[in-house]
Amino acid sequence: MSHNGAGVGAGSGGSPIPPTTVMYSQLQPWSQAGAPPCMEPVMGPSIPSRVGTAYETPTKHPWRPAMAYELIQVKHMPEQPVTNQLTKQCFLPKGMKTDGMIFPNLVTGFDRNPQHAARAALYTRYTSNEWYNNNMTKYSESNMNRNLSERMRNDAVRLMRETDEKATSGQRDAGRRLGERITDLTFWRNELNAELEKLIAEMSDINELQRQCGKALLDLEIPLHIAQECLFHRESRQGTEKVHDIVEKALLVESNNLRNSRDRLGGLHEKISKQALDCRGAQHLLEDDVSHKESSLGIDSMCHQLNNHSRGITYYGGIEKFDPSVSTQESWAQASSEHVRRSQAERAKLSQLRSDAQSVVNSVATTVWDFWSNTNNAFDRRSQEMAEAKNRVQLHLQKVQQELFDMEKHLFLLQKAIQDKSGPLKVAQTRLEARSHREGVELCKDHAQDRLVQEVQDIQGAVETLHHKLMEAEATHQGLLKTRCTLEVDLRNKVNALFIDREKCMSLRRSFPVSNLIKY
């Protein structure tokens, strides 16, 4: 865009500024620049635009001339504030290749260019309404600032009173809470001390209980070994004889009962052997809890006595953000209650161990004898059942043998019948073949021809039927052979199972030393 020297400004020599050192941008009219026409801001933010914008229109007025300085703005390349002061020769930055720009002054520029100064003065004046509105704005701002200041002072006074009351109330409430905490600590300390004394008084010697339970455990090994040996022998049964019968159920129940009895006695023995350690552990927990509560009681008592005039109080910045707590009020009380409960449980165990040991041993002795008798009765019943089953298998085996003999004779008769049909079939087919050599019209399909064909078909059907029956008979014969083999195997398995139950298992159970059963 081209521009005039009077509108843009030039140096003292009037030389134009090269286009490479300036930048042009669209401007608003000078009346909206925010500064009076005779003042040029050197630094700092620009003055807010004036309020008088009621007369602005999107189009220019026809009586106002268009000037070049309304449309462009010149900015120096180093991007420093461009004023008359900074663009003089003494204020130019180093390395600048061109002369500084001098903007026209609206007061002194009249002598050098009257026409330009008159136009600028006409274009940069404010109206009366703008002047009045500016005054009213200043008054409103003053009233608003005074009201705001008064409200802030009142709020500050109220806040100071509220903070004083809140601090006093908070300190009083904290002291009350500390007093309640001291009461709780004293209560639990006394409870723990009382329980500790009772636990120490209840502890006594339990070596006799250990000896009794050890002897009962040794006495259970013999019947358990016999039951397991019987189960082991019965595992050598073959085929379908390896059945989950009443004997196996009785042996499993007896073994489980013996294991449970052994576990009961073992658990009782373990309880007795560890009871001293458990009591000592409960005692250690009580002593440790009592010592911690004594320490906490001293600290909380000291904190409860502190006030604003106590010696030694000071600032600890950020201490409210540090939370070393490892428990809550409920979990703290629950922990102490748990220690007391454990000590009571240990004392109850100590007082009941002797009676429990006696009752457990007597109960074990009774159940061992009962299951032993039930298993022997099951062996007797099972032996009778297997003997009857063995006899029935032998009877069926004899019947199958007889049926096999009859079936073999029947197979022979079927084969002979099939062989007997070969002669008639040969005769009929030979006749048909011979009649096929007739000549001319003698090749007649007469009744003889039809009967020969029917005879061949009948014989072939009969032979096919006999073959089918022969195949069925052979399949039945094979089934009988398989049945005989199965019965023989079953008979052998039953004999073996009967031998195991009667000879191997019952012999062990008859020799059990009943007189040496657990007794006290």
Side-chain angles (χ1 to χ4, degrees), residues 188 192 195 199 282-290 292-293 332-345:
W188 280 111
L192 292 171
E195 185 61 31
L199 178 62
Q283 181 182 355
H284 173 72
L285 289 177
L286 291 175
E287 292 174 350
D288 192 45
D289 200 359
V290 168
H292 290 171
K293 281 180 172 48
W332 170 80
Q334 185 179 1
S336 298
S337 177
E338 182 67 21
H339 295 164
V340 173
R341 188 198 62 79
R342 178 178 176 181
S343 176
Q344 292 175 352

Side-chain angles (χ1 to χ4, degrees), residues 8-175:
V8 177
S12 59
S15 60
I17 298 174
T20 57
T21 60
V22 297
M23 183 190 309
Y24 302 103
S25 63
Q26 197 70 21
L27 280 180
Q28 298 294 334
W30 281 14
S31 60
Q32 294 182 358
C38 298
M39 298 179 62
E40 295 178 355
V42 177
M43 61 180 60
S46 61
I47 301 174
S49 60
R50 62 190 179 89
V51 182
T53 59
Y55 300 101
E56 291 185 1
T57 58
T59 60
K60 298 182 179 294
H61 295 286
W63 55 270
R64 287 188 175 179
M67 295 177 289
Y69 52 77
E70 295 178 346
L71 303 176
I72 61 175
Q73 179 186 11
V74 181
K75 293 185 179 179
H76 203 273
M77 292 303 292
E79 297 182 359
Q80 294 186 358
V82 181
T83 62
N84 291 342
Q85 181 182 6
L86 293 182
T87 57
K88 290 182 179 181
Q89 294 295 333
C90 60
F91 296 102
L92 288 177
K94 293 181 179 181
M96 195 167 183
K97 302 299 183 181
T98 60
D99 296 333
M101 294 182 298
I102 302 299
F103 288 94
N105 193 286
L106 297 179
V107 178
T108 61
F110 182 79
D111 298 334
R112 291 177 287 179
N113 195 343
Q115 183 181 2
H116 166 71
R119 290 179 179 179
L122 178 62
Y123 195 69
T124 57
R125 289 292 183 269
Y126 291 97
T127 63
S128 298
N129 289 334
E130 291 175 349
W131 176 82
Y132 178 76
N133 290 335
N134 185 37
N135 290 337
M136 295 304 295
T137 302
K138 295 299 187 295
Y139 301 154
S140 299
E141 184 179 359
S142 175
N143 292 332
M144 182 178 63
N145 289 336
R146 285 187 290 103
N147 292 334
L148 179 62
S149 176
E150 184 179 359
R151 186 167 60 252
M152 289 182 63
R153 288 188 293 104
N154 294 333
D155 291 343
V157 172
R158 184 175 65 255
L159 180 62
M160 288 186 293
R161 292 176 180 175
E162 290 178 356
T163 53
D164 290 342
E165 292 177 359
K166 187 176 181 180
T168 304
S169 175
Q171 190 178 83
R172 182 169 56 254
D173 186 65

Side-chain angles (χ1 to χ4, degrees), residues 1 43 67 82 150 177 181 225 237 284 368 440 443:
M1 175 184 290
M43 61 180 60
M67 295 177 289
V82 181
E150 184 179 359
R177 295 289 185 181
R181 181 65 175 177
H225 175 74
R237 294 175 297 172
H284 173 72
V368 166
L443 286 173

Side-chain angles (χ1 to χ4, degrees), residues 449-474:
Q449 182 73 17
D450 293 338
R451 186 66 187 89
L452 287 173
V453 172
Q454 183 66 34
E455 181 183 2
V456 171
Q457 292 177 354
D458 292 342
I459 294 174
Q460 288 177 348
V463 171
E464 184 178 357
T465 303
L466 290 173
H467 275 291
H468 182 69
K469 289 295 183 181
L470 179 62
M471 291 174 61
E472 291 180 353
E474 289 177 350

Side-chain angles (χ1 to χ4, degrees), residues 333-488:
Q334 185 179 1
S336 298
S337 177
E338 182 67 21
H339 295 164
V340 173
R341 188 198 62 79
R342 178 178 176 181
S343 176
Q344 292 175 352
E346 296 300 332
R347 289 193 297 109
K349 292 177 184 178
L350 284 173
S351 61
Q352 294 295 327
L353 271 177
R354 293 184 182 275
S355 58
D356 290 346
Q358 188 67 31
S359 61
V360 166
V361 168
N362 293 333
S363 175
V364 166
T366 303
T367 54
V368 166
W369 172 252
D370 292 340
F371 283 104
W372 174 269
S373 300
N374 293 335
T375 305
N376 287 343
N377 295 333
F379 265 110
D380 294 337
R381 291 195 300 271
R382 183 58 182 170
S383 298
Q384 295 177 1
E385 291 178 359
M386 285 192 295
E388 294 176 359
K390 185 193 72 171
N391 296 332
R392 287 196 297 269
V393 169
Q394 289 177 346
L395 179 61
H396 282 282
L397 183 60
Q398 293 176 0
K399 293 179 180 180
V400 168
Q401 289 283 10
Q402 182 63 35
E403 185 64 26
L404 278 172
F405 178 74
D406 296 338
M407 181 56 69
E408 289 175 356
K409 292 192 298 182
H410 181 67
L411 289 173
F412 177 76
L413 293 176
L414 285 174
Q415 291 174 357
K416 188 176 183 303
I418 293 172
Q419 292 176 0
D420 292 343
K421 298 299 184 293
S422 61
L425 181 60
K426 291 177 183 180
V427 171
Q429 289 180 351
T430 302
R431 289 175 177 176
L432 285 174
E433 195 277 334
R435 285 175 62 82
S436 65
H437 294 288
R438 291 177 298 171
E439 296 178 357
V441 292
E442 296 302 323
L443 286 173
C444 179
K445 189 175 182 180
D446 51 7
H447 295 290
Q449 182 73 17
D450 293 338
R451 186 66 187 89
L452 287 173
V453 172
Q454 183 66 34
E455 181 183 2
V456 171
Q457 292 177 354
D458 292 342
I459 294 174
Q460 288 177 348
V463 171
E464 184 178 357
T465 303
L466 290 173
H467 275 291
H468 182 69
K469 289 295 183 181
L470 179 62
M471 291 174 61
E472 291 180 353
E474 289 177 350
T476 305
H477 183 264
Q478 292 297 324
L480 290 173
L481 290 175
K482 183 178 179 181
T483 302
R484 184 184 66 179
C485 181
T486 302
L487 291 175
E488 290 175 352

